[in-house]
Amino acid sequence: FPVTIWSADISNSGTLFAFFIVALGVMILRVTQPNRPRPFKTPFIWVVGPAALAGCALLFVSLGWNPTIKYFTIWAVIGLVVYFAFARRNSVMGQAEQK
């Protein structure tokens, strides 16, 4: 029974992390590429974005360190290693820059 709860919490931590990264990315793009065409804009991004970041961080921390955040961190590191190992050899942008 506890394993089921942990797996749900780990899944929740991944979803919260994804939402956090999206909110951060929207704010970064608003600054670095202000003229980029967008099908829609987030209203009041400098209020909504930080609120989303804070809300995701608060919910993430409330999941607890043991075992949820600990296992999420381990899986995130494994995922990043696999992602960058694959991207280094197979990235279309990376191959175009080498030519």
Side-chain angles (χ1 to χ4, degrees), residues 4 12 34 40-41 43 47 56 59-60 64 66-69 80 87 90:
T4 306
N12 290 340
F40 66 90
K41 275 188 163 183
V47 175
C56 287
L59 290 172
F60 186 82
N66 276 331
T68 305
I69 294 176
L80 287 171
N90 299 303

Side-chain angles (χ1 to χ4, degrees), residues 39-56:
F40 66 90
K41 275 188 163 183
T42 303
F44 306 109
I45 188 61
W46 302 113
V47 175
V48 173
L53 294 175
C56 287

